[in-house]
Amino acid sequence: MEGALTARDRVGIQDFVLLDETTEAAFLSNLKKRFSKDLIYTYIGTLLVSVNPYKELDIYNKKQMEVYMGVNFFELPPHIYALADNAYQTMLTEYNNHFILISGESGAGKTEASKKILQYYAVTCPSTTLLNTVRDKMLMSNPVLEAFGNAKTLKNDNSSRFGKYMDIQFDSQGDAVGGHILNYLLEKSRVVHQNHGERNFHIFYQLVEGGEDDLLHELGLEKDAQHYNYLTQGECAIVSSINDRNDWKTVKNALQIINIDEINTNHLFGIVASVLHLGNVQFDSDSKGHALLNNNTELRWVSNLLGVDAQSLQEGLTYRKIEARTDQVLSPFTIDHAIYARDALAKAIYGQTFTWLVNRINESMENKDPSRKTVIGLLDIYGFEVFYVNSFEQFCINYCNEKLQQLFIQLTLKAEQEEYEAEDIEWEPVQFFNNKIICDLVEERHRGIISILDEECLRPGDATDLTFLERLEDKMGNHPHFLICQSKNAIVRECFATVDPDSRRRPETVATQFKSSLLKLTEILMAKEAWYIRCLKSNESKQPGQFDEALIRHQVKYLGLMEHLRVRRAGFAYRRKYDVFLKRYKPLCPATWPHWRGVPADGVEVLVQHLGYLPYEYKMGRTKIFIRHPRTLYATEDAYEKCKHELATRLQAKYKGYRAKGEFRKQKEAATKIETCWRGVQARKEREKRAWAVKVIKKFIKGYMTRGQAKCTDNSEYLAFVRQNYLNRLKNTLPKTVLDKTTWQSPPAVLTETSELLRKLHYRLMVRKYVRGITPQRKAQFQLKLLTSSIFKGKKESYPQSVAQPFVDTRISISVSNLTDSIIVFHITCEDPKQKGDLVMQCDHLFEFLTKLCVIANKQNAVKVVQGSIKIEIQAGKESAVDFTTGQEPMVYKAKNGHLMVWSEGKMHKC
Ligand SMILES: Nc1ncnc2c1ncn2[C@@H]1O[C@H](COP(=O)(O)OP(=O)(O)OP(=O)(O)O)[C@@H](O)[C@H]1O
């Protein structure tokens, strides 16, 4: 594994544990080699060493974050994301709390590191709209806190002037659901005084430089930092590396996101402005040297902005109120005292406002869901500070660092050695400097610096820096680590400044408060699993690419990195309780899977034998197994991952089968249910249909029975049915010809009359149609027939048979000769051979007869006048002729050829 790691990161060694030698020179050389190639992160085991590059590196983008998500710690080059991810993953798998301690001196990169971790969680943790709001609030708390709590110092243009511990709360899914911030000791003295080259807190400059004209007008401020005493002492109000105007916009937006409403925002800026006005309050003195404050504009602004009575404010700044039993005596201040009171008020106002702000941020990030959360705490605490002149703040800051170093020693070095001893593990003890002695020097009850300070504050009489120093020298002058003699401290002044005016009891001194809060912090941290980031400052001049070896060596030393490395190398990289180890890795050995029935230690022994651990790679302690190198553990972890996948596949298959079965069962049940339902529906329908049918039939029967009655409710439907039915039948069987008198459907009784009407209508219609379709010839025929009828109907018996016989024009024609005879031949067409044929008759009034005949028949061409002979038919198909001739006397006779001979001028004969 180490080989692979070295190959992966070709510049230097990415984990100091893998260095060939553990000298300081080798350590620094490796650090420098990597720094020169912008590899600012290196591990000591799981501790991350970071060197401030003082330039933007392209290693903090989303892509990089994704690369580190869920990847084993040593799988990729060292990165702050790897540590953040590992803490997160461990929290999820072990369901416990963690904290990441980021330490290093001012300007080493702690705040940047904590921001990077927060951003990593913001991007990589699962999110929802709701969670995004929480996430935004967490991210946006930074610019607000930085504006009010950070300032430009000589060491860092954006130095945190307060300690910050932030808990990020996660639910069991790993979603970031809330947060909480604890703040420690804001450097309030900066409000009223800044060293040369330093600035007040950023917010003052942001407001003056970036504030909108209206707002500045309302607050009575000038748009010029030089106008304010509190902003100009460092003589660097404007700094090229800081863009106050842009930062102003960011802060205003951030205030909105963390739910600070407009009213509170206005109050907040009013307070910031009031501090600036306070700084400009100047005092006169009377003849006795007492401070005077008459009709001061700045004071009026302060009273206005803070909403306090101007008179009381004026009294508070120029008089001390002494309470003696029942009386109150006002003792006037000298100018110095008045200035001190003014500054104390400014610091107190600002300090309280900062605490208020942190509380608001906490309210906005609070997660109200009571279910259990795990947390990852981020501790970004000010680093060691040593100035030429060190004040109370430096004392507290350095005490805090000593305390955290103590915690680090306890949790790593000392605990490590003690654990080996407790577990009976052979190893070579590593010498380290235990700074407990320094912590005791500061905090020990009755004997420590803080206790002496408290006593000094309570002692009657005037307490001054000098009297305190005398006490200290008296009590601990011989202590090997008494370090404080150079301090022109503001401790006493600071303590008295916090006296609560309404309380007769003296409050705890700030130092004691700070000590208590540090003890609480230590308790919070002790209950969690620790991860460390040690930030190193690469150079004092904030230059990119500069590796100041002496400066870095110094930091490596006081941060105890070499000792940590030696402990890591001498010791074992990993240890776990037998039962925990066995529980995790038991699937890797058939003898331990799925259950090991014996003692866990024996199970672990069997397991590691099966895995082929070599004797020097591990040690069995009393309750834990100790594994020397990370590679052994990672090989095991890799095997576990593989096996887990196989197991997962098997489980998945089983689960899928189970799910499929379940699904099938469900479907079957559903099908049965649907079927039952469907059947029910069908049966119901069937029942309804039958009920309906019964009703209909009943109605039908009733209707049938009452069909003869007048229409009533009982028979109305039946009658309608009958009517409908009859009309339908009738429609389909209507007579097709007028002559068809038989086909008409006989109607039900109720429709007799209707039927008759319809019948008549129908026949009339047919007749009309028939008449319209009749030809003129046929019409003439009918007229003839009509005539025949009028003549013969009822008179002549054979008439009816004649009706069907159509009259034809060709059946009768008349012929006469051209001679003088009076013979008329009627040609009559006849098919019956038994019937007589044409009629030959003699008529004396031939002309009259035939003419009248023609008139009657309206046929003038009906008579043919023939010469010689007229052909006749004696019978059907039997022809003969009438031959005409002239003779002396008219005669008619049958000639020998069978023809009828007619001589003109003779007597007429009947044939
Ligand atoms: N990882 C980094 N990449 C680039 N620049 C960085 C990085 N870390 C720190 N810096 C630079 O160093 C400056 C100081 O860093 P930072 O404010 O984090 O220091 P600090 O340790 O928190 O100091 P203090 O204790 O004074 O608050 C930053 O403003 C930034 O310019």
Side-chain angles (χ1 to χ4, degrees):
M1 173 72 71
E2 282 96 334
L5 291 176
T6 323
R8 223 172 263 151
D9 211 356
R10 293 180 196 284
V11 184
I13 304 287
Q14 67 179 28
D15 188 343
F16 285 112
V17 175
L18 308 174
L19 269 182
D20 287 339
E21 43 175 335
T22 52
T23 61
E24 207 171 79
F27 190 98
L28 286 173
S29 154
N30 188 44
L31 211 55
K32 189 174 181 178
K33 209 185 278 178
R34 291 173 65 73
F35 182 77
S36 67
K37 296 287 180 217
D38 288 341
L39 297 171
I40 61 166
Y41 296 121
T42 312
Y43 293 134
I44 306 176
T46 54
L47 179 147
L48 182 75
V49 179
S50 159
V51 188
N52 188 345
Y54 281 119
K55 65 176 174 185
E56 293 303 320
L57 301 178
D58 189 23
I59 56 169
Y60 301 112
N61 45 43
K62 196 167 173 221
K63 219 168 143 196
Q64 279 283 319
M65 292 182 183
E66 280 162 2
V67 167
Y68 280 90
M69 269 171 76
V71 176
N72 227 328
F73 198 61
F74 290 98
E75 290 287 300
L76 292 166
H79 202 296
I80 195 162
Y81 294 159
L83 184 130
D85 192 72
N86 224 249
Y88 177 73
Q89 298 299 342
T90 316
M91 177 197 72
L92 282 184
T93 40
E94 297 186 3
Y95 205 50
N96 53 4
N97 299 323
H98 295 251
F99 75 90
I100 300 173
L101 171 57
I102 311 167
S103 52
E105 69 179 63
S106 177
K110 299 179 298 289
T111 310
E112 289 299 317
S114 79
K115 283 198 258 182
K116 306 243 141 57
I117 293 173
L118 210 56
Q119 279 160 0
Y120 180 77
Y121 291 142
V123 172
T124 60
C125 290
S127 65
T128 60
T129 316
L130 183 71
L131 296 179
N132 284 347
T133 321
V134 176
R135 187 195 64 183
D136 290 347
K137 285 177 180 164
M138 280 193 222
L139 289 175
M140 281 304 154
S141 66
N142 260 331
V144 174
L145 288 180
E146 283 192 8
F148 283 84
N150 285 25
K152 177 199 171 341
T153 65
L154 287 173
K155 289 175 179 287
N156 182 359
D157 288 355
N158 184 30
S159 181
S160 310
R161 304 320 294 163
F162 68 106
K164 182 173 138 192
Y165 173 76
M166 180 179 193
D167 261 343
I168 310 165
Q169 297 154 355
F170 296 89
D171 67 8
S172 56
Q173 312 297 312
D175 306 341
V177 290
H180 189 85
I181 291 171
L182 291 175
N183 61 310
Y184 295 96
L185 192 73
L186 178 73
E187 187 196 35
K188 287 184 288 185
S189 63
R190 183 169 294 275
V191 174
V192 298
H193 174 74
Q194 307 94 41
N195 289 330
H196 189 264
E198 300 199 348
R199 297 207 312 175
N200 208 325
F201 292 101
H202 296 321
I203 188 66
F204 292 112
Y205 305 92
Q206 289 170 0
L207 175 61
V208 171
E209 291 297 322
E212 298 75 15
D213 290 345
D214 286 355
L215 179 65
L216 293 182
H217 181 72
E218 270 172 38
L219 301 175
L221 294 180
E222 301 286 325
K223 205 178 181 68
D224 177 11
Q226 300 302 332
H227 191 75
Y228 299 99
N229 294 331
Y230 281 167
L231 303 186
T232 50
Q233 292 162 46
E235 294 180 14
C236 59
I238 305 295
V239 192
S240 62
S241 62
I242 301 173
N243 188 336
D244 290 312
R245 285 186 191 176
N246 274 357
D247 291 348
W248 166 255
K249 286 182 198 149
T250 312
V251 169
K252 274 192 71 176
N253 177 41
L255 283 169
Q256 271 184 4
I257 290 176
I258 60 171
N259 294 355
I260 298 198
D261 61 24
E262 207 181 323
I263 297 174
N264 274 325
T265 305
N266 288 339
H267 283 157
L268 193 61
F269 296 144
I271 290 172
V272 175
S274 74
V275 171
L276 290 179
H277 285 297
L278 255 184
N280 282 3
V281 169
Q282 301 294 337
F283 301 93
D284 297 328
S285 71
D286 63 9
S287 54
K288 293 179 195 157
H290 294 152
L292 284 180
L293 196 55
N294 287 328
N295 197 24
N296 187 299
T297 324
E298 300 286 4
L299 194 76
R300 278 208 305 280
W301 271 111
V302 177
S303 106
N304 230 344
L305 293 167
L306 294 181
V308 292
D309 176 44
Q311 180 65 28
S312 312
L313 193 61
Q314 183 174 333
E315 273 176 18
L317 291 177
T318 50
Y319 291 91
R320 181 202 300 261
K321 197 192 280 177
I322 300 168
E323 295 190 355
R325 301 219 170 159
T326 52
D327 297 333
Q328 278 190 355
V329 183
L330 290 180
S331 157
F333 278 153
T334 61
I335 288 194
D336 282 353
H337 273 128
I339 290 173
Y340 170 72
R342 177 198 72 189
D343 290 350
L345 179 62
K347 287 191 285 183
I349 292 170
Y350 193 80
Q352 293 296 325
T353 306
F354 188 74
T355 309
W356 176 87
L357 202 53
V358 173
N359 289 341
R360 288 293 84 73
I361 291 173
N362 281 338
E363 273 170 25
S364 84
M365 295 190 302
E366 189 187 346
N367 180 266
K368 299 209 171 65
D369 174 10
S371 64
R372 202 189 141 191
K373 308 281 174 309
T374 49
V375 305
I376 294 180
L378 287 179
L379 183 59
D380 168 13
I381 211 103
Y382 15 57
F384 277 113
E385 279 182 358
V386 182
F387 297 118
Y388 179 69
V389 176
N390 294 293
S391 65
F392 175 68
E393 276 85 2
Q394 275 68 50
F395 169 75
C396 288
I397 287 171
N398 292 341
Y399 162 49
C400 170
N401 274 277
E402 293 292 354
K403 206 66 197 142
L404 291 173
Q405 179 67 8
Q406 175 67 29
L407 182 81
F408 174 65
I409 289 169
Q410 267 187 8
L411 289 178
T412 56
L413 306 178
K414 197 160 159 283
E416 181 105 352
Q417 302 213 25
E418 280 174 1
E419 185 170 30
Y420 293 146
E421 273 163 34
E423 287 285 329
D424 238 356
I425 298 286
E426 269 178 45
W427 86 305
E428 229 176 83
V430 172
Q431 291 308 314
F432 60 87
F433 171 66
N434 190 344
N435 71 337
K436 182 169 185 307
I437 188 166
I438 294 178
C439 293
D440 288 347
L441 171 71
V442 177
E443 68 188 12
E444 221 178 355
R445 289 186 102 197
H446 307 302
R447 292 183 7 207
I449 294 172
I450 293 177
S451 289
I452 296 170
L453 171 65
D454 285 357
E455 278 173 27
E456 192 60 13
C457 294
L458 291 171
R459 185 173 63 76
D462 269 354
T464 63
D465 296 354
L466 204 65
T467 57
F468 174 54
L469 186 61
E470 278 166 7
R471 293 272 298 163
L472 284 178
E473 279 189 336
D474 183 32
K475 286 239 175 182
M476 50 185 55
N478 295 330
H479 195 288
H481 297 283
F482 176 52
L483 45 81
I484 200 164
C485 48
Q486 284 177 22
S487 169
K488 281 200 178 177
N489 68 69
I491 300 171
V492 178
R493 289 197 299 272
E494 186 74 38
C495 294
F496 283 122
T498 58
V499 172
D500 176 357
D502 292 334
S503 166
R504 309 227 161 180
R505 256 188 63 226
R506 284 197 183 275
E508 278 184 328
T509 60
V510 173
T512 305
Q513 284 174 17
F514 188 58
K515 181 177 124 185
S516 316
S517 61
L518 277 191
L519 283 178
K520 265 191 215 136
L521 174 65
T522 317
E523 276 169 28
I524 292 173
L525 299 183
M526 289 289 271
K528 298 183 167 75
E529 218 167 284
W531 302 80
Y532 299 97
I533 300 174
R534 296 296 200 212
C535 298
L536 304 178
K537 199 171 176 178
S538 51
N539 62 77
E540 286 289 11
S541 46
K542 307 166 195 167
Q543 290 302 309
Q546 269 189 29
F547 190 88
D548 182 336
E549 226 169 295
L551 179 71
I552 292 177
R553 181 179 294 113
H554 176 69
Q555 296 171 73
V556 167
K557 226 177 228 154
Y558 80 69
L559 288 172
L561 294 185
M562 294 310 297
E563 286 152 347
H564 185 77
L565 171 60
R566 282 191 209 109
V567 172
R568 279 278 159 199
R569 275 177 68 97
F572 295 82
Y574 174 86
R575 79 251 12 226
R576 269 292 179 274
K577 291 244 183 234
Y578 288 128
D579 50 349
V580 176
F581 186 85
L582 192 61
K583 193 173 165 202
R584 184 164 182 83
Y585 298 116
K586 65 181 179 178
L588 297 177
C589 170
T592 53
W593 176 258
H595 299 294
W596 173 257
R597 302 279 173 208
V599 185
D602 296 345
V604 171
E605 187 69 61
V606 169
L607 177 64
V608 296
Q609 290 301 330
H610 178 77
L611 292 173
Y613 279 22
L614 297 172
Y616 72 89
E617 285 185 319
Y618 74 101
K619 280 265 180 331
M620 302 290 280
R622 283 184 209 276
T623 62
K624 295 176 183 172
I625 178 173
F626 290 78
I627 295 173
R628 197 173 291 279
H629 301 298
R631 65 160 178 252
T632 315
L633 179 70
Y634 290 123
T636 310
E637 188 63 16
D638 288 348
Y640 173 68
E641 278 300 314
K642 198 163 158 253
C643 165
K644 209 165 74 177
H645 280 119
E646 283 163 11
L647 271 179
T649 316
R650 255 191 278 161
L651 282 175
Q652 209 177 36
K654 275 242 174 257
Y655 180 69
K656 274 185 185 163
Y658 166 78
R659 283 283 299 269
K661 234 189 238 170
E663 203 58 34
F664 175 72
R665 211 188 51 235
K666 252 197 225 159
Q667 281 178 1
K668 211 171 145 186
E669 279 170 13
T672 316
K673 252 187 210 163
I674 291 170
E675 207 177 300
T676 316
C677 269
W678 177 245
R679 283 207 185 127
V681 169
Q682 290 293 88
R684 218 170 22 249
K685 267 192 184 169
E686 190 60 32
R687 215 172 38 243
E688 280 165 8
K689 211 164 131 186
R690 278 164 194 252
W692 174 81
V694 167
K695 232 160 110 181
V696 170
I697 291 168
K698 263 189 186 167
K699 224 173 183 177
F700 192 84
I701 292 171
K702 227 171 183 177
Y704 176 76
M705 287 162 64
T706 55
R707 67 189 183 281
Q709 297 173 10
K711 190 177 165 192
C712 61
T713 40
D714 282 344
N715 65 9
S716 64
E717 274 185 43
Y718 176 80
L719 293 182
F721 166 78
V722 165
R723 189 180 310 126
Q724 176 79 29
N725 200 20
Y726 173 70
L727 290 175
N728 277 343
R729 259 188 300 129
L730 190 63
K731 184 182 84 184
N732 297 329
T733 56
L734 281 173
K736 300 276 189 301
T737 65
V738 278
L739 298 177
D740 182 359
K741 305 281 183 193
T742 55
T743 328
W744 195 260
Q745 290 285 329
S746 45
V750 71
L751 289 177
T752 313
E753 200 181 327
T754 314
S755 167
E756 190 49 34
L757 280 172
L758 283 174
R759 199 180 61 77
K760 280 185 180 156
L761 273 174
H762 183 66
Y763 277 97
R764 203 177 291 168
L765 197 70
M766 278 197 302
V767 168
R768 190 195 288 168
K769 259 193 203 166
Y770 182 78
V771 168
R772 281 192 182 161
I774 228 159
T775 58
Q777 293 78 15
R778 204 144 165 75
K779 194 176 172 185
Q781 179 84 199
F782 279 124
Q783 280 169 343
L784 283 179
K785 286 280 179 185
L786 210 58
L787 189 63
T788 313
S789 158
S790 64
I791 300 168
F792 296 107
K793 194 175 173 186
K795 297 175 189 160
K796 187 155 172 67
E797 279 183 12
S798 59
Y799 167 73
Q801 286 84 359
S802 77
V803 174
Q805 300 289 325
F807 294 167
V808 294
D809 286 349
T810 51
R811 201 185 307 278
I812 300 172
S813 61
I814 303 167
S815 306
V816 294
S817 76
N818 57 338
L819 300 179
T820 57
D821 60 280
S822 55
I823 295 296
I824 305 169
V825 177
F826 289 87
H827 304 282
I828 300 166
T829 309
C830 177
E831 282 87 27
D832 187 359
K834 290 178 196 148
Q835 293 287 321
K836 287 246 183 242
D838 296 345
L839 169 68
V840 180
M841 65 175 270
Q842 186 177 8
C843 180
D844 290 339
H845 307 286
L846 181 142
F847 296 103
E848 182 187 346
F849 175 71
L850 287 180
T851 305
K852 283 191 177 170
L853 206 61
C854 284
V855 169
I856 291 166
N858 198 23
K859 269 188 168 182
Q860 290 178 12
N861 54 354
V863 181
K864 283 185 199 155
V865 182
V866 181
Q867 288 185 356
S869 177
I870 298 171
K871 270 190 184 167
I872 59 166
E873 276 187 356
I874 305 167
Q875 273 178 326
K878 197 174 177 184
E879 285 194 349
S880 184
V882 183
D883 297 333
F884 296 91
T885 185
T886 49
Q888 288 174 346
E889 61 184 273
M891 89 166 84
V892 178
Y893 62 94
K894 195 173 175 183
K896 283 183 185 161
N897 58 358
H899 289 190
L900 188 68
M901 277 302 294
V902 179
W903 290 41
S904 307
E905 300 288 331
K907 264 191 170 180
M908 199 176 73
H909 294 279
K910 288 219 176 153
C911 294

